[in-house]
Every structure is written in C-alpha cells, then in structure tokens.
C-alpha cells in the first residue's frame, strides 16, 4: 500500500509553516538574503532548516522581519531594529496579559 501524503490544505493556512526559501522570502520583503541572515543572527527570527540545511521561513517570521525592515528603512541599525521589535512584542504580550487579568477581576472580583 502506498504511503499517504500529508494534507497540503492545512499547511496553506498555517502561519508557522516554513513555506518560503531564503530567496523567495527576500523577494517578498523586497530585501536581500543578507538582511534575513542579519535578523537571524540578531535572534529576532530563527528560520527552520531543510534537510539540506537551507533556511525556510514562515509567514509569521516574514511579518516580524518586515517590521524590522521598516525600522531599518528609516535609518535604524539592524541590531537596534531587531531589539525594538522584540521589545514591542514583549510589551504587546504584557498588555494582553494585563487586560486578561482585568477582565478576570471584573468577572470574579478580588478573590482570584
């Protein structure tokens, strides 16, 4: 019996699926592979590696890299842009967490 292929449709909707090669990711972002390597070295994004060792990027990673590119285009050094994006993400997480706690307190009172 032949082996079944995994469903492709699920991968199309998965923001974390590493669908983009480095060259394609650079084209989508309008940048160079060197920029993608730089944001990887700054640990803003960590691309997955294919069996051959090639970098593969997800849509979520490309959105993060695009945010860093906007800052770089405004004159911010790559390393600083990566740090800013990382801090923005942490702030968003903290604000979201605070909002969830406020909602719980509003619903349940101070006994939480």
């Amino acid at each position: 019996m032949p082996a079944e292929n995994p469903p492709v449709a699920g991968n199309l909707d998965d923001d974390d699926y590493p669908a983009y090669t480095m060259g394609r990711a650079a084209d989508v972002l309008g940048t160079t592979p060197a920029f993608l390597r730089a944001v990887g070295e700054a640990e803003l994004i960590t691309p997955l590696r294919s069996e051959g060792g090639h970098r593969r990027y997800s849509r979520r990673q490309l959105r993060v890299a695009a945010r860093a590119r906007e800052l770089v285009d405004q004159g911010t050094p790559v390393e600083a842009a990566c740090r800013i994006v990382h801090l923005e993400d942490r702030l968003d997480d903290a604000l979201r967490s605070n909002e969830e706690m406020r909602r719980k307190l509003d619903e349940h009172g101070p006994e939480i």
Side-chain angles (χ1 to χ4, degrees):
M1 182 181 272
E4 291 185 33
N5 291 328
V8 175
N11 293 339
L12 295 175
D13 295 330
D14 184 355
D15 269 357
D16 294 314
Y17 183 73
Y20 297 89
T21 62
M22 178 179 274
R24 181 66 184 131
D27 287 344
V28 167
L29 294 175
T31 190
T32 63
F35 174 80
L36 289 170
R37 282 191 293 275
V39 296
E41 289 169 9
E43 298 180 359
L44 180 62
I45 59 175
T46 304
L48 293 170
R49 297 284 184 149
S50 69
E51 288 182 19
H54 300 283
R55 292 172 178 89
R56 306 282 299 189
Y57 298 89
S58 69
R59 286 191 305 234
R60 185 179 319 275
Q61 290 172 324
L62 293 187
R63 283 194 299 271
V64 171
R67 287 172 53 204
R69 178 162 185 246
E70 289 172 6
L71 293 169
V72 169
D73 288 349
Q74 295 170 9
T76 306
V78 172
E79 297 81 13
C82 291
R83 184 71 179 144
I84 290 167
V85 171
H86 176 72
L87 290 171
E88 288 173 344
D89 286 344
R90 287 184 60 193
L91 177 59
D92 286 345
D93 290 344
L95 292 172
R96 199 171 15 263
S97 177
N98 284 343
E99 182 58 33
E100 288 174 21
M101 287 185 172
R102 276 192 206 102
R103 257 187 271 122
K104 286 181 183 178
L105 282 173
D106 289 344
E107 292 172 9
H108 304 288
E111 68 270 1
I112 291 183

